[in-house]
């Protein structure tokens, strides 16, 4: 892949992320606040990826249970998450609404970043199914916004954990070895537990 094509894909994915993030929040917040928040997340995404890929291999050796292949994903994820937390607190965005907006933006942008078109499309469809039907779930008593985002995140990480466990070569967004199973399972559990807490 040439540098130009890589830059073009990153630029288009950036536009897609910001557009869908803005689209989900535009009715309640000024556009400049939404875009500033989005840019903080994108900045976190980039810095997290760069720092993990360059620093972690110098600090931790690869082994039978840990590899460097998926460091870019985890660096990006932690950077994006850090950017989200900072922007959410800085601009007083409603937590679960902003989370869902960020997830939608990422799902639309992820095929260009990861080339996992099929998986990203499936997860996006799951999100919209949850989004359109969660209020009809009798056990979800509160009916609060946030179900779709948290549940989708749970499905995403549960899928990654399963693929890592069976050693699939199509591991979504590449993994970091057997450690991947535990990390993704833990994040899936936390996501589903948050859904349960939100339902009360």
């Amino acid at each position: 892949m040439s540098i130009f094509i890589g830059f073009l894909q990153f630029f288009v994915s950036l536009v897609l992320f910001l557009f869908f993030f803005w689209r989900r929040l535009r009715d309640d917040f000024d556009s400049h606040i939404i875009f500033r928040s989005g840019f903080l997340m994108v900045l976190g995404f980039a810095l997290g990826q760069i720092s993990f890929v360059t620093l972690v291999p110098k600090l931790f050796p690869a082994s039978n249970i840990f590899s460097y292949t998926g460091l870019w994903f985890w660096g990006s994820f932690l950077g994006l998450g850090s950017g989200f937390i900072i922007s959410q607190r800085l601009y007083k965005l409603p937590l679960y609404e902003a989370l869902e907006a960020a997830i939608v933006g990422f799902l639309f942008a992820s095929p260009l970043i990861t080339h996992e078109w099929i998986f990203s499309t499936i997860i996006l469809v799951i999100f919209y199914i949850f989004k359109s039907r969660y209020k009809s779930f009798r056990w979800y008593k509160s009916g609060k916004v946030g179900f779709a985002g948290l549940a989708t995140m749970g499905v995403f990480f549960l899928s990654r954990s399963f693929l890592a466990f069976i050693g699939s070569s199509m591991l979504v967004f590449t993994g970091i070895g057997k450690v991947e199973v535990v990390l993704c399972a833990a994040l899936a559990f936390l996501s589903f537990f948050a859904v349960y807490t939100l339902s009360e």
Side-chain angles (χ1 to χ4, degrees), residues 81-148:
S82 298
F84 173 80
I85 292 172
I86 292 171
S87 63
Q88 188 267 329
R89 294 186 176 182
L90 184 62
Y91 299 113
K92 309 299 181 184
L93 300 176
L95 177 61
Y96 295 114
E97 288 182 37
L99 178 63
E100 288 198 352
I103 288 173
V104 171
F106 175 76
L107 289 176
F108 274 103
S110 64
L112 289 171
I113 301 172
T114 64
H115 304 288
E116 292 285 354
W117 293 86
I118 296 176
F119 183 81
S120 295
T121 301
I122 291 172
I123 295 296
L124 189 60
V125 169
I126 289 173
F127 172 85
Y128 278 106
I129 291 174
F130 285 153
K131 183 65 178 173
S132 63
R133 299 190 177 183
Y134 78 93
K135 290 184 178 179
S136 65
F137 299 157
R138 292 184 178 180
W139 61 270
Y140 193 68
K141 301 175 184 178
S142 70
K144 293 179 181 177
V145 172
F147 177 93

Side-chain angles (χ1 to χ4, degrees), residues 10-80:
F10 178 77
F11 177 76
V12 174
S13 63
L14 170 64
V15 172
L16 286 172
F17 173 80
L18 291 175
F19 172 75
F20 285 101
F21 183 69
W22 165 79
R23 187 179 179 187
R24 296 281 299 177
L25 297 175
R26 62 182 175 179
D27 293 335
D28 300 314
F29 295 92
D30 292 335
S31 293
H32 72 277
I33 290 179
I34 299 173
F35 284 115
R36 285 178 184 175
S37 178
F39 275 116
L40 277 175
M41 283 184 272
V42 171
L43 180 61
F45 179 94
L47 291 178
Q49 182 179 143
I50 293 170
S51 61
F52 260 55
V53 171
T54 55
L55 295 178
V56 173
K58 296 178 181 179
L59 300 174
F60 302 98
S63 65
N64 293 331
I65 64 171
F66 175 69
S67 70
Y68 301 142
T69 313
L71 284 178
W72 73 269
F73 168 79
W74 288 102
S76 301
F77 174 73
L78 290 175
L80 184 69

